[in-house]
């Protein structure tokens, strides 16, 4: 993979250009790594979106860009982006023209998204706290009961399916900690051990790997039973969808760092 090769080259002492966050994105609303062959790193915020093909050393602007970009999630071969009261779909490569902006088929501005890149499943959370679920890539949406969901989640992530075929939906709830749902968002239960969850990201290829921001980067490889503290504080994290050991972090002091051990060190 290109991203891994770039990091390996840097480890050998050749680093042609430092990793940086694009101007205006010191506190991104989201960060993710696309499943496209070159592994573009996508970042979004109040100034729209930027993507990088070299691990954050240089940044490009997607076509048909708009601002703001509040949330994004991968599903199948697409990336769903929320502009608030409208949505937009991009291909994984991010170079091709995006689909036209479309209003959400329900009321409210979407502030959080989560998706399963192995399936068509996506979740959307509106500003008023309403949780919606789709299993056809956002064509049809169902309102979920979301019993036990905190009033104002800070982030959503989905992991799995595990060996039993179960997908787990995670929600970072700030001082209310970390919660999880094993029934597609119908109900949530607290996850012990996390007192302040400001962000959560799940690894696609390993259903037991998860990163939580407190803002310290906390890593679990056993679905939350034990945690490792990296010593880095971050506002956003992205895990490569093919290699869970490759992790990017936007730090609280505005830097962009990379990890080759799943986020345990940067």
């Amino acid at each position: 993979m290109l991203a891994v090769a770039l990091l390996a080259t840097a480890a050998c002492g050749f680093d042609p250009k430092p990793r940086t966050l694009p101007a205006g994105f010191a506190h991104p609303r989201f960060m993710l790594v696309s499943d496209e062959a070159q592994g573009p790193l996508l970042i979004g915020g109040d100034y729209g979106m930027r993507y990088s093909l070299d691990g954050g050393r240089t940044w490009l602007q997607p076509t048909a860009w708009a601002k703001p970009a509040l949330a994004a999630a991968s599903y199948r071969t697409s990336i769903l982006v929320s502009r608030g009261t409208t949505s937009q779909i991009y291909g994984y490569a991010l170079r091709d023209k995006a689909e036209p902006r479309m209003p959400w088929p329900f009321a409210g501005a979407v502030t959080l998204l989560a998706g399963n890149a192995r399936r068509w499943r996506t979740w959307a959370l509106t500003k008023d706290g309403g949780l919606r679920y789709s299993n056809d890539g956002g064509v049809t949406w169902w309102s979920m009961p979301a019993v036990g969901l905190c009033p104002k989640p800070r982030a959503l992530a989905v992991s799995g399916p595990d060996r039993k075929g179960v997908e787990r939906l995670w929600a970072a709830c700030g001082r209310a900690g970390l919660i999880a749902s094993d029934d597609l968002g119908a109900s949530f239960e607290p996850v012990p051990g996390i007192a302040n969850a400001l962000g959560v990201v799940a690894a696609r290829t390993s259903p037991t790997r998860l990163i939580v921001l407190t803002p310290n980067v906390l890593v679990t490889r056993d679905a939350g039973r034990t945690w490792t503290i990296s010593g880095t504080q971050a506002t956003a994290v992205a895990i490569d969808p093919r290699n869970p050991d490759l992790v990017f972090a936007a730090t609280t002091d505005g830097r962009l760092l990379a990890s080759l051990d799943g986020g345990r060190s940067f």
Side-chain angles (χ1 to χ4, degrees), residues 10-165:
C12 293
F14 178 68
D15 192 354
K17 190 175 182 178
R19 295 181 182 84
T20 60
L21 293 169
F25 291 81
H27 298 283
R29 290 183 179 267
F30 67 83
M31 215 167 50
L32 63 83
V33 179
S34 170
D35 205 17
E36 198 262 345
Q38 287 185 293
L41 175 63
L42 177 65
I43 193 167
D46 294 339
Y47 294 94
M49 298 193 303
R50 301 291 186 273
Y51 71 97
S52 175
L53 298 176
D54 53 12
R57 293 186 172 90
T58 59
W59 293 90
L60 303 168
Q61 184 171 281
T63 59
W65 72 282
K67 55 185 182 182
L70 303 184
S74 299
Y75 69 96
R76 288 290 185 174
T77 59
S78 301
I79 297 174
L80 178 64
V81 176
S82 173
R83 306 291 184 183
T85 57
T86 61
S87 65
Q88 197 164 21
I89 297 175
Y90 288 78
Y92 272 163
L94 297 167
R95 293 186 296 271
D96 300 327
K97 186 177 180 179
E99 295 185 14
R101 294 172 65 177
M102 298 290 292
W104 295 102
F106 45 80
V110 172
T111 56
L112 297 177
L113 288 168
N116 189 332
R118 291 185 173 182
R119 299 181 176 179
W120 288 96
R121 292 179 175 174
T122 50
W123 288 261
L125 188 83
T126 57
K127 190 174 182 179
D128 63 4
L131 182 65
R132 268 77 177 183
Y133 162 72
S134 173
N135 63 6
D136 56 10
V139 176
T140 308
W141 293 88
W142 287 269
S143 179
M144 302 303 290
V147 177
L149 181 63
C150 53
K152 294 183 178 180
R154 305 287 296 266
L156 294 176
V158 59
S159 60
D162 60 17
R163 293 180 180 178
K164 297 181 180 180

Side-chain angles (χ1 to χ4, degrees), residues 158-184:
V158 59
S159 60
D162 60 17
R163 293 180 180 178
K164 297 181 180 180
V166 175
E167 291 170 292
R168 176 165 290 184
L169 182 64
W170 307 84
C173 291
R175 294 294 181 183
L178 182 68
I179 60 176
S181 171
D182 289 341
D183 53 15
L184 303 177

Side-chain angles (χ1 to χ4, degrees), residues 164-213:
K164 297 181 180 180
V166 175
E167 291 170 292
R168 176 165 290 184
L169 182 64
W170 307 84
C173 291
R175 294 294 181 183
L178 182 68
I179 60 176
S181 171
D182 289 341
D183 53 15
L184 303 177
S187 61
F188 289 81
E189 296 291 338
V191 178
I194 303 295
N196 185 30
L198 304 178
V200 58
V201 181
R204 195 198 76 179
T205 52
S206 180
T208 60
R209 288 206 193 188
L210 192 75
I211 293 178
V212 171
L213 307 181

